[in-house]
Amino acid sequence: MKYGFAICLLSMLHLMCSAQEQLSTEPLILNNMKLKITFGDTELTATLYDNPTTLDLIKQLPITTKLEDYAGTEKIFYPKQKLTRESAPDGYTPSKGDITYYAPWGDVAIFYKDFGYAKGLISLGVIDNNGIEQLMTVGSTEVILELQGD
């Protein structure tokens, strides 16, 4: 009887932890807010995720900066101030179109190719409607990042 209760309790804890893991893998979206990325005659939008790191970046907008190509995989820039890591996971596996913050170096990265798991990488959002194709074709370019309400 004693072992049956312990097994039942462990099973319940496992189910609760599994449910929590599933909840935490789906990012919460910031409602009615988009990131607008403008370069040349091109304007892209991105969906932003509701987390402390993204909110910290929003506080610095608008940002005019030069995006630099890094490792043939991503475009990066350094915000004026480092962003918070509060409540951030240990790392992240980015996909093409993901906007992330690499905490160890303090840079924001927009991935135009899939990449493997990186410790210290925090997801901020994702480029909408395959717009990443336009960004990946330009070299180092000046961009304006600003908040766009719906």
Side-chain angles (χ1 to χ4, degrees):
M1 180 78 164
K2 176 167 56 169
Y3 294 112
F5 176 74
I7 290 171
C8 182
L9 183 60
L10 287 173
S11 295
M12 287 174 47
L13 286 172
H14 176 72
L15 287 173
M16 288 170 49
C17 290
S18 295
Q20 183 62 33
E21 278 181 33
Q22 289 175 359
L23 288 175
S24 65
T25 58
E26 286 297 317
L28 295 174
I29 295 172
L30 278 173
N31 291 328
N32 301 319
M33 280 197 231
K34 294 278 188 173
L35 179 68
K36 183 168 75 169
I37 304 169
T38 307
F39 57 98
D41 295 333
T42 303
E43 186 177 289
L44 306 177
T45 60
T47 298
L48 296 173
Y49 298 145
D50 188 357
N51 64 53
T53 311
T54 301
L55 296 174
D56 218 15
L57 177 65
I58 288 170
K59 290 177 192 173
Q60 295 187 37
L61 297 177
I63 297 172
T64 299
T65 188
K66 191 170 210 169
L67 284 184
E68 300 290 336
D69 196 75
Y70 182 78
T73 305
E74 61 199 86
K75 301 286 185 177
I76 66 168
F77 74 92
Y78 291 86
K80 289 185 182 185
Q81 297 175 337
K82 288 194 172 196
L83 306 179
T84 184
R85 297 184 65 182
E86 177 188 335
S87 302
D90 288 337
Y92 181 71
T93 304
S95 297
K96 182 178 178 177
D98 282 349
I99 302 171
T100 63
Y101 177 65
Y102 187 56
W105 292 355
D107 67 294
V108 172
I110 305 172
F111 284 85
Y112 57 84
K113 290 184 181 174
D114 291 345
F115 193 72
Y117 177 86
K119 188 174 173 94
L121 200 60
I122 302 166
S123 181
L124 305 177
V126 63
I127 301 288
D128 297 333
N129 301 323
N130 297 320
I132 194 65
E133 302 296 333
Q134 297 169 19
L135 188 60
M136 69 184 278
T137 60
V138 297
S140 294
T141 189
E142 186 169 286
V143 298
I144 300 169
L145 297 106
E146 57 193 327
L147 202 56
Q148 172 185 323
D150 280 348

